[in-house]
Amino acid sequence: MTTTAQETTSPRRTAAAPAPGRGADIRRHELAAFLRSRRERITPEEVGLPRGTRRRTPGLRREEVAQLSAVGVTWYTWLEQARDIQVSVQVLDALARTLRLDGTERAHLFQLAEAVDPTPAASCTGVTPALHEMLRALEPLPASVQNSRYDILAYNRTYARLMGDLDAVPPEDRNCMILVYTNPEWRRSIVHLEETRRLMAAKLRASMAGHLAEPAWKMLVKRLAAESAEFRENWERYEVVDLRARTKQFLNPYVGFLTLEHTDLFLNPGSGARMVTYVPADEDTRERLERLHDLAQAGAGMSNY
């Protein structure tokens, strides 16, 4: 049968092929629907807002999400309307935290936005099975693998209980800077807290010189500045120091006072990846570390172990 020109452009053939940009349009509508669904499940009380008497929205209002995420109301409204706008990873990170997304939901958000999640929870490259085995072998000594941004990429059982319960911290918040400035358990556990905070901010500034344009670094500093007046004060000192071994003291909530010698073993100088280890400085600390390790083993299994 002869094929005519009219048949080659028939509605059936045209409908079978996706129109240009159709995939992106579908993705934007999926993202809009997902954001609405997550917004509507959170009550004002959960985020410290008054409910009021005229609330018709089942959860948060758009303007409330925008305010809590530090983005413009019009911009966030366009996002929920599936407008064709660019979304930065900083904004996606803020929305994920405001909407209290879990790990799976956070990954879904970034996938819909066609963005790469820069947090260690999304990607812990370089932490091999051999490194995990080394962390286990070092017990009862506390040890972890961190990068130059202070993201905690892996850790052993003793480290998980060194300053409270690290397993209970969401993976995207497992960053020493965030924890030392905002986590109550970490703040109570560090004996020389103010000095530690100042030195860590100075180390972060020194390390950041080689990563000034990277979104994950800018996100971290922006978040810390928004959540901690102490960080803002230390950051504005413009102090810089390098990493160094030093004695640290902790008031552990499970076994009491610990005096430890801190050493960094560099794994990849280019990325700043290092194994952070703590060795007891006296026999009392050695015995308490062994007790801490026993308690950690008897407790719940580690999510990152």
Side-chain angles (χ1 to χ4, degrees):
M1 183 171 63
T2 304
T3 302
T4 66
Q6 183 178 5
E7 288 173 331
T8 62
T9 58
S10 66
R12 179 176 298 177
R13 293 290 300 275
T14 303
R22 177 62 176 164
D25 185 58
I26 293 173
R27 191 180 296 275
R28 287 196 302 273
H29 280 83
E30 284 290 322
L31 175 61
F34 180 66
L35 288 172
R36 283 195 299 272
S37 71
R38 301 303 88 181
R39 170 172 62 83
E40 291 172 355
R41 74 174 180 175
I42 300 176
T43 65
E45 293 84 355
E46 287 180 280
V47 294
L49 295 175
R51 173 167 290 277
T53 58
R54 298 183 179 180
R55 182 175 294 271
R56 297 179 181 177
T57 306
L60 295 178
R61 299 187 178 102
R62 286 174 175 172
E63 56 267 28
E64 291 169 338
V65 173
Q67 178 185 357
L68 292 169
S69 304
V71 300
V73 176
T74 300
W75 186 94
Y76 180 75
T77 300
W78 286 351
L79 194 59
E80 280 204 10
Q81 291 175 344
R83 301 277 190 101
D84 187 5
I85 57 176
Q86 296 296 317
V87 189
S88 70
V89 293
Q90 292 94 329
V91 167
L92 291 173
D93 175 72
L95 290 175
R97 287 188 283 112
T98 296
L99 299 174
R100 302 190 172 191
L101 304 186
D102 62 25
T104 301
E105 292 168 334
R106 182 184 174 96
H108 185 63
L109 173 69
F110 275 82
Q111 186 174 23
L112 288 176
E114 295 188 298
V116 177
D117 188 348
T119 65
S123 176
C124 293
T125 58
V127 183
T128 64
L131 280 176
H132 282 288
E133 182 60 31
M134 289 178 66
L135 291 174
R136 283 190 288 269
L138 284 170
E139 291 180 328
L141 303 182
S144 66
V145 175
Q146 300 176 20
N147 60 21
S148 56
R149 201 171 57 235
Y150 283 106
D151 296 322
I152 303 171
L153 307 180
Y155 51 90
N156 63 18
R157 288 185 179 91
T158 319
Y159 186 90
R161 300 298 183 268
L162 183 61
M163 289 168 280
D165 184 2
L166 188 55
D167 293 333
V169 176
E172 62 270 20
D173 291 342
R174 290 177 191 161
N175 173 283
C176 292
M177 291 295 298
I178 291 172
L179 293 168
V180 79
Y181 276 99
T182 68
N183 184 278
E185 285 189 330
W186 277 54
R187 293 202 303 259
R188 287 193 297 266
S189 297
I190 298 173
V191 174
H192 304 289
L193 179 62
E194 296 311 314
E195 179 188 3
T196 298
R197 283 173 161 174
R198 185 177 60 81
L199 287 174
M200 288 178 66
K203 291 176 185 176
L204 182 71
R205 183 174 283 284
S207 299
M208 192 172 178
H211 307 272
L212 292 174
E214 295 179 25
W217 287 77
K218 293 189 288 186
M219 283 167 53
L220 175 61
V221 172
K222 182 178 180 180
R223 177 179 175 183
L224 286 165
E227 297 183 8
S228 172
E230 292 83 1
F231 173 80
R232 293 196 299 273
E233 180 181 348
N234 286 330
W235 193 247
E236 289 167 5
R237 292 172 181 265
Y238 280 85
E239 294 178 336
V240 291
V241 298
D242 59 359
L243 293 170
R244 65 190 70 172
R246 58 191 296 262
T247 301
K248 294 189 176 182
Q249 294 177 320
F250 302 93
L251 186 59
N252 183 267
Y254 308 105
V255 298
F257 189 79
L258 300 170
T259 302
L260 300 168
E261 300 292 346
H262 170 202
T263 302
D264 290 310
L265 305 174
F266 280 88
L267 307 172
N268 184 341
S271 67
R274 64 193 188 278
M275 182 175 290
V276 178
T277 63
Y278 293 98
V279 175
D282 53 58
E283 285 304 313
D284 287 342
T285 296
R286 187 179 302 277
E287 292 175 4
R288 289 168 184 162
L289 278 183
E290 290 174 354
R291 276 197 287 137
L292 181 60
H293 178 236
D294 291 341
L295 289 171
Q297 282 188 310
M302 290 181 59
S303 59
N304 195 26
Y305 200 73

